[in-house]
Amino acid sequence: MPAEWAAHDAVWTAWPHDPDQWAEGLAAPRGALMAMIRAIVDLDDRGAPRGERVELLVRHADDEAAARALLGPAAAGVRFHPLRYGDIWLRDTGPIFVTRPGEVAAARFGFDGWGGKYLMDGDPEVAAAVMTRVGARGAAFDFVLEGGAIEVDGAGTLLTTRQCLLGGARNPGLDQAALEARLRWALGVRQVVWLDRGLANDHTDGHIDTLARFVAPGVVTCMAPAPGDPNHDALDGICRDLAAARTADGGRLEVVTVPSPGAVHDAAGQLMPASYMNFYVANTTVVVPTYGVAADAAAVEAIARLFPGRRTIGVDAKPVVVGGGAFHCATQQQPRAPVATAAAAG
């Protein structure tokens, strides 16, 4: 499985549509997701897309028309796919793409609605449908895994959490050793680094993409807790555990911290699992979730320093987190195939 900053052919995402998943209405999350897509498409001064292609799932022509109206000229960089699906969380419902020289393939895993909590029609079939549309070969594996539960550096090291993978709901018959063996086999990794737990009120039971992200081989970023942070103990533990972890090559991880947003509440006053770690790394742009809080500018600036070859844009993600995640949760990259060399072919 290549790192996210490796070149992409496209990214898969979806149009929000299920009112039961959006307690504050659909208009705001639709606007936020289309703002994300406009940033990923990245039109140049002549109005031509210079970012990666966006593959957008919609239910029907009315959804496509509504999306086009919000996208404006950026729709030139989007392909629309009528499909039956639950909602936008392609990081978890889509396939996980893997590569070898000259080929992009895909790994497909069991999907049980995030431990049985959010069962939506069509979601279990999304991964196979996307693979068919891409024309990617691949294998179906015998355990439950969501893409947001894992993070790789492309050099053999994978991050995950015990809360999610070993919490009991998804794979009750598998212990840590069994899951590590399956992750190595399915994704081509050599070292699995386990963190303990995620953010308070996290719908996903501790997905890693809200906690820590690789920014280069062996280099990881996480959030330093803010004063009075409701996730202070969890974030502090994550920073300490990462600093003590080893990479696939035996070295220590280099840890870079960015600010935490602190306490972010929804319209009903409930604490949200807001995180700056849920950024998406596109070919030309890094899209960072923001929440209308004091730490937003500093977090965007800190993440921009980690990706100097790309522009970094903060986009309001608060309406999306109402549904359970942010921009990384709603995207699944389709990597470009590595060039096949004569030595590799032999």
Side-chain angles (χ1 to χ4, degrees):
M1 181 180 175
E4 194 166 305
W5 56 83
H8 303 164
D9 267 344
V11 59
W12 290 80
T13 187
W15 173 252
H17 71 83
D18 184 352
D20 292 339
Q21 308 305 317
W22 302 98
E24 297 178 12
L26 282 160
R30 284 173 173 172
L33 266 294
M34 296 308 104
M36 176 197 77
I37 290 175
R38 291 196 300 270
I40 291 170
V41 170
D42 188 14
L43 297 178
D44 65 18
D45 293 340
R46 299 170 298 168
R50 59 187 169 193
E52 63 203 56
R53 185 178 68 251
V54 175
E55 310 281 7
L56 182 64
L57 303 188
V58 293
R59 294 169 301 165
H60 41 56
D62 288 347
D63 283 355
E64 179 177 339
R68 285 184 178 276
L70 290 175
L71 289 168
V78 179
R79 296 199 303 196
F80 297 86
H81 299 269
L83 193 70
R84 182 170 167 264
Y85 64 98
D87 216 274
I88 66 172
W89 312 114
L90 268 291
R91 179 66 49 181
D92 297 338
T93 60
I96 295 175
F97 290 100
V98 294
T99 63
R100 61 181 177 183
E103 183 181 9
V104 173
R108 181 161 53 91
F109 301 90
F111 180 74
D112 66 351
W114 299 274
K117 297 192 301 296
Y118 307 102
L119 300 171
M120 291 179 266
D121 289 344
D123 274 348
E125 292 77 48
V126 166
V130 168
M131 289 172 65
T132 297
R133 288 169 188 251
V134 171
R137 298 190 303 168
F141 290 88
D142 67 344
F143 64 107
V144 172
L145 182 71
E146 298 123 26
I150 56 167
E151 173 77 2
V152 300
D153 71 350
T157 306
L158 178 146
L159 301 176
T160 189
T161 70
R162 294 182 179 89
Q163 180 186 358
C164 183
L165 265 63
L166 298 175
R170 290 161 172 82
N171 295 293
L174 299 178
D175 62 12
Q176 182 168 317
L179 280 165
E180 286 192 11
R182 284 163 169 78
L183 291 169
R184 291 189 180 100
W185 175 252
L187 302 175
V189 298
R190 292 177 286 128
Q191 172 78 348
V192 179
V193 175
W194 294 87
L195 303 180
D196 281 330
R197 60 190 173 99
L199 304 179
N201 294 344
D202 178 8
H203 297 59
T204 67
D205 308 309
H207 271 191
I208 195 69
D209 65 358
T210 63
L211 306 175
R213 301 288 305 282
F214 281 116
V215 298
V219 183
V220 66
T221 186
C222 60
M223 294 183 294
D229 199 310
N231 291 293
H232 181 280
D233 291 348
L235 296 180
D236 189 56
I238 287 164
C239 293
R240 285 187 283 101
D241 289 347
L242 289 171
R246 297 283 181 172
T247 69
D249 294 327
R252 289 197 182 276
L253 286 174
E254 179 183 344
V255 181
V256 181
T257 60
V258 306
S260 161
V264 179
H265 298 91
D266 63 18
Q270 296 297 309
L271 180 69
M272 305 171 77
S275 170
Y276 296 124
M277 292 295 97
N278 210 252
F279 56 81
Y280 175 68
V281 184
N283 281 348
T284 64
T285 305
V286 181
V287 184
V288 179
T290 59
Y291 303 98
V293 297
D296 284 350
V300 172
E301 182 180 349
I303 292 169
R305 289 195 295 269
L306 301 173
F307 296 98
R310 293 169 166 88
R311 63 179 191 148
T312 299
I313 296 176
V315 176
D316 181 17
K318 194 172 178 182
V320 186
V321 179
V322 169
F327 301 128
H328 195 255
C329 301
T331 51
Q332 182 59 266
Q333 68 271 10
Q334 178 186 327
R336 193 172 299 161
V339 175
T341 63

